[in-house]
Amino acid sequence: MRTISENRCFGGVQGVYAHASEATGCEMTFGLFLPEEAEDMAVPVLWYLSGLTCTHENAMTKAGAQAWAAEHGIALVFPDTSPRGADVADDEADDLGQGAGFYVDATEAPWAPHYRMWSYIADELPRIVTANFAVDEERQSITGHSMGGHGALTLAMRLPGRFRSVSAFAPIANPTQSDWGRKQLAAYLGTESEAWAAHDASLLMAAQGFEGEVLIDQGASDQFLDLLRPEALAGAMAARRQPGTFRMQPGYDHSYYFVQSFIPDHIAFHAEALWA
């Protein structure tokens, strides 16, 4: 692992690091904010998964999360959204290929050699972070925006016991029934199959739910509502009587202005679970 940068931030340190990944077969970059408390103890951690076209940098610089994480004494991890490099398959469209890994392990050509973002986020990067930094592997929560919200919800529900809480901002909630999902799942995983259902938050919510609290914020003026299909997730939560909150926020769109507006609520929500 190599250090790209480290900057003092709200009493802690915002770092950016790179490492050779076994999961993706290329170099991966991630951001990590450590609060001041990490100088003396292992702190709980909140994972933030970003959306389409993003790198590790988007949420790190646009979400305004560090101030609130510092207030609550929790670390933030900002992974990249896909493998990258000259030898990594890509596509001209901005919703497939580099920047659009969709948090799955691809099985189809030309994606399979590198597009193993599920394994990277679920297994490899947590081992690297907890081995090298003052982060408590027993106290983890997860959140994300758009494609990252999809990733956060599916990881939380499919890895029971890993995360104490999960939240999402405008998640791609029902990808098996949306053009933001069917295209990518077909490309990465092949023709429609049970493998698709394992990456659909609405189907997972209906089938098993999440063992802890859930918080979802969705902008009511989101320009991508038809692609996100929030009604499917809200319906599944209600039918299951899932503990948690689903909020439609009037006037808000899909941008980071929306994320900035509600990130304090989300970090406080996770901090309560992480410090319990």
Side-chain angles (χ1 to χ4, degrees):
M1 190 177 66
R2 62 187 177 91
T3 299
I4 296 175
S5 63
E6 289 183 331
N7 298 95
R8 200 70 176 165
C9 182
F10 294 103
V13 176
Q14 175 62 64
V16 178
Y17 309 94
H19 68 100
S21 168
E22 294 182 3
T24 66
C26 64
E27 184 175 74
M28 297 294 292
T29 303
F30 66 95
L32 172 66
F33 171 74
L34 288 172
E36 188 174 9
E37 289 85 346
E39 296 176 7
D40 301 312
M41 58 182 287
V43 295
V45 60
L46 175 62
W47 294 79
Y48 184 107
L49 305 186
S50 290
L52 289 166
T53 75
C54 291
T55 70
H56 70 280
E57 190 174 20
N58 293 72
M60 190 180 80
T61 60
K62 295 180 180 180
Q66 291 90 339
W68 306 102
E71 181 176 311
H72 291 284
I74 63 177
L76 298 169
V77 182
F78 303 99
D80 203 348
T81 55
S82 75
R84 298 183 190 272
D87 296 331
V88 175
D90 200 6
D91 191 271
E92 292 182 358
D94 61 7
D95 61 355
L96 187 68
Q98 294 186 34
F102 246 74
Y103 304 103
V104 303
D105 282 353
T107 58
E108 304 299 302
W111 315 105
H114 298 287
Y115 282 74
R116 297 183 53 79
M117 290 303 294
W118 178 275
S119 292
Y120 178 68
I121 300 296
D123 298 320
E124 184 177 24
L125 189 55
R127 291 200 307 269
I128 290 170
V129 170
T130 56
N132 290 280
F133 302 95
V135 168
D136 186 348
E137 64 181 344
E138 299 299 324
R139 291 182 292 166
Q140 300 188 46
S141 292
I142 192 166
T143 188
H145 174 227
S146 193
M147 179 185 72
H150 139 81
L153 290 165
T154 56
L155 281 155
M157 285 187 277
R158 287 183 55 198
L159 298 173
R162 170 73 64 85
F163 301 105
R164 295 193 178 186
S165 53
V166 59
S167 73
F169 300 86
I172 299 174
N174 192 200
T176 62
Q177 302 302 316
S178 168
D179 287 343
W180 269 3
R182 295 182 66 85
K183 173 183 177 179
Q184 294 85 356
L185 295 174
Y188 296 142
L189 302 178
T191 56
E192 188 169 0
S193 67
E194 291 183 3
W196 289 28
H199 296 284
D200 187 306
S202 296
L203 298 180
L204 289 170
M205 181 62 68
Q208 64 193 71
F210 178 65
E211 58 197 343
E213 291 279 332
V214 176
L215 173 61
I216 310 293
D217 271 311
Q218 171 63 61
S221 296
D222 193 313
Q223 60 270 45
F224 303 116
L225 274 176
D226 290 344
L227 293 166
L228 300 172
R229 292 182 52 82
E231 67 280 2
L233 180 59
M237 288 178 65
R240 187 169 189 82
R241 296 176 174 84
Q242 169 68 45
T245 303
F246 191 110
R247 307 190 298 193
M248 293 294 294
Q249 302 291 0
Y252 285 91
D253 60 14
H254 199 71
S255 70
Y256 265 97
Y257 297 113
F258 160 63
V259 175
Q260 290 171 17
S261 299
F262 299 102
I263 196 75
D265 292 353
H266 283 244
I267 291 181
F269 164 76
H270 292 296
E272 183 177 357
L274 289 168
W275 285 110

